[in-house]
Amino acid sequence: MSSTTFGVRVEEIAEKGESFVSLTTSQAVRLQELKFCRVSPTGDAGIWRITDVTRVGVVGLDGLRLIIRPKTPLRSLIFMASYSGAQANVSYATFAFEADQDLPSTLASALIQAVEAATGRGLLKGYVSVEETGTVIRGRWDVARQLKARPGIPVPVELTYDDYTEDVAENRIVKAALRALVRLEQLPRRVVDELGPLLGTFTEISDLRTGSRVTLPAETRLNAHYQPALRLAQWILEATSWAHAEGASSGSAFLLNVAKVYEDFVGSVLQATLKPEGYEVDLQVSDWRLDTGGKVRMRPDIVISRGGRVVAVADTKYKVWGESDGSPPNADVYQGLAYAITAHVPEVHLLYVSGDVEPRRYEIAATGTAVVAHALDVSGGPEELITRVAGLGRALVASVGIDQSLAASPFSAQRDFMPTSIPHERAREVLEP
């Protein structure tokens, strides 16, 4: 779909499938350089085919604004991005953003509401370790720094102390996200007008040192009310910094990794659901190896254990899969099979994004294991989303059973005992009673 707004041509790109867009050669090259989609020429001059889209958002290219709309409903996406695992009594009306036309505007509106709610009683305060040079002793005298800076000279003194201040990491992260949105081009005027005064609240807060993906402070009782704002801020910073790192000019691109949002949301809900029932849920386990030499690395999204032993493994797939799509892609099934064999569990689960589709079970005769594909509906209100994922989590562990789960995996879930590959004969011995 194409339109023109204030002299800027607006084109929409589908996240799924292929789109055909009129581009100059220069625009096509710049779009390809952003590395979030594949751009290829067609038989028609000036018309380019765009496929394999991995991010959603907005890209500005010389008088052209490309809007990549997510297949996930915007209000569901915002809730998933803000979910902390500890939210309760979430009002569905809080996530009503039908008036916004694109993802940056929607996320900006959501962040404004979340920050206003978090700072309604003032900015968060906390203790921050401060190092300074002074003539009056305050806190602890740092002898090591003193000797390094001024050996043999007693004054001034190198000091270290804890200061109770608003200049904490939580406020720095929120401020950085607000500033990133202010710099973003073509946000609706009403959103920009709200961002300015809100950013003024953080005038005395230091700037965040940007680099790799922002790491959020550990959630505590004191910063729990900041969690939705912090998570939205984290995704906004990721979307703006990633595009800039890939060559987009500052403010011209906002590209969000929705697959990661989906993965983090599912993992957080499973943790909140299964931990009270005695299970441990580890996300993005990075030290599994398929081969005995440890050369083939694996990174399952979700590993569920109980009593120190793995009972279930799952991988999120931000792909639409339903009745009309046939079986899951072979590569996904192969990946699931590798996880099942390596973890010595009888089955592994693939969690797709889709509508009302019953789970399908694929029995692998050679190994005696099974790959189960699930379709998770991400439409509806926050309570519905949480209920669906929580129900799925209980189904994952119920399919094993407590007695079987304690004997299903012969290795500890601790990182020092991660499995390597085992022959098929050994896999059969593990699975047979």
Side-chain angles (χ1 to χ4, degrees), residues 34 239-251 253:
L34 289 178
T240 53
S241 63
W242 181 88
H244 185 58
E246 294 299 335
S249 59
S250 179

Side-chain angles (χ1 to χ4, degrees), residues 285 287-289 303 310 411-420:
V285 177
D287 49 4
W288 281 24
R289 303 292 186 272
V303 177
V310 173
F411 65 91
S412 168
Q414 298 298 320
R415 300 288 78 86
D416 291 341
F417 297 94
M418 276 302 164
T420 55

Side-chain angles (χ1 to χ4, degrees), residues 377-398:
D377 184 2
V378 293
S379 62
E383 294 84 357
E384 294 176 87
L385 285 172
I386 293 176
T387 299
R388 291 189 195 115
V389 179
L392 177 59
R394 294 188 181 97
L396 297 186
V397 295

Side-chain angles (χ1 to χ4, degrees), residues 104-418:
S105 301
T106 306
L107 273 173
S109 297
L111 181 64
I112 289 171
Q113 291 189 26
V115 173
E116 288 176 344
T119 60
R121 295 171 294 174
L123 296 182
L124 178 69
K125 287 187 175 182
Y127 285 98
V128 176
S129 181
V130 177
E131 295 181 352
E132 69 174 28
T133 303
T135 56
V136 178
I137 297 295
R138 178 185 182 186
R140 181 175 61 85
W141 181 23
D142 194 328
V143 178
R145 275 182 34 234
Q146 183 79 29
L147 294 175
K148 183 177 180 180
R150 281 174 294 278
I153 302 176
V155 179
V157 182
E158 296 298 323
L159 304 172
T160 300
Y161 62 92
D162 291 333
D163 187 26
Y164 189 63
T165 175
E166 295 176 342
D167 195 13
V168 293
E170 289 88 344
N171 289 325
R172 294 178 185 178
I173 292 171
V174 171
K175 177 183 179 180
L178 292 172
R179 291 185 63 181
L181 289 173
V182 168
R183 291 194 297 265
L184 198 60
E185 299 172 359
Q186 300 179 21
L187 278 179
R189 172 52 55 184
R190 64 171 183 80
V191 174
V192 176
D193 291 342
E194 291 182 76
L195 285 170
L198 194 58
L199 185 57
T201 308
F202 295 83
T203 302
E204 301 300 320
I205 305 301
S206 302
D207 293 336
L208 181 70
R209 295 181 180 179
T210 57
S212 57
R213 189 170 188 256
V214 174
T215 301
L216 298 183
E219 182 176 347
T220 67
R221 177 180 56 83
L222 299 177
N223 68 11
H225 62 296
Y226 259 60
Q227 293 306 309
L230 285 173
R231 277 159 174 74
L232 288 170
Q234 182 184 41
W235 290 118
I236 288 170
L237 291 172
E238 194 271 345
T240 53
S241 63
W242 181 88
H244 185 58
E246 294 299 335
S249 59
S250 179
S252 66
F254 184 100
L255 294 167
L256 181 66
N257 185 348
V258 187
K260 182 60 177 170
V261 173
Y262 171 67
E263 174 190 311
D264 284 4
F265 170 70
V266 172
S268 295
V269 175
L270 292 182
Q271 286 177 327
T273 301
L274 298 178
K275 184 176 180 180
E277 299 181 12
Y279 293 94
E280 295 180 4
V281 181
D282 294 318
L283 309 180
Q284 283 292 305
V285 177
S286 60
D287 49 4
W288 281 24
R289 303 292 186 272
L290 179 62
D291 64 313
T292 54
K295 303 296 185 182
V296 182
R297 297 173 178 266
M298 296 191 299
R299 194 183 183 95
D301 293 337
I302 301 166
V303 177
I304 304 172
S305 57
R306 187 183 181 115
R309 294 180 178 273
V310 173
V311 300
V313 181
D315 219 52
T316 58
K317 301 293 181 184
Y318 187 68
K319 306 173 184 177
V320 173
W321 172 70
E323 294 290 356
S324 61
D325 297 316
S327 300
N330 285 356
D332 293 351
V333 177
Y334 299 156
Q335 182 185 33
L337 177 60
Y339 291 159
I341 293 175
T342 304
H344 302 185
V345 292
E347 60 186 34
V348 71
H349 303 267
L350 306 177
L351 313 181
Y352 291 91
V353 176
S354 187
D356 186 16
V357 183
E358 292 297 319
R360 297 184 189 173
R361 185 182 182 87
Y362 300 89
E363 301 284 351
I364 313 300
T367 60
T369 55
V371 177
V372 185
H374 305 261
L376 184 62
D377 184 2
V378 293
S379 62
E383 294 84 357
E384 294 176 87
L385 285 172
I386 293 176
T387 299
R388 291 189 195 115
V389 179
L392 177 59
R394 294 188 181 97
L396 297 186
V397 295
S399 65
V400 178
I402 296 179
D403 293 337
Q404 185 180 355
S405 71
L406 294 177
S409 176
F411 65 91
S412 168
Q414 298 298 320
R415 300 288 78 86
D416 291 341
F417 297 94
M418 276 302 164

Side-chain angles (χ1 to χ4, degrees), residues 49-110:
R49 178 186 291 105
I50 299 176
T51 57
D52 300 337
V53 176
T54 59
R55 288 177 175 253
V56 300
V58 176
V59 177
L61 298 169
D62 300 329
L64 172 65
R65 189 170 191 245
L66 295 177
I67 298 178
I68 307 96
R69 296 195 184 280
K71 52 178 174 274
T72 301
L74 279 179
R75 63 172 62 186
S76 297
L77 179 56
I78 297 305
F79 175 70
M80 289 193 291
S82 66
Y83 182 77
S84 67
Q87 288 171 289
N89 300 321
V90 181
S91 171
Y92 188 52
T94 303
F95 300 93
F97 301 105
E98 290 88 350
D100 294 324
Q101 298 299 310
D102 53 55
L103 182 61
S105 301
T106 306
L107 273 173
S109 297

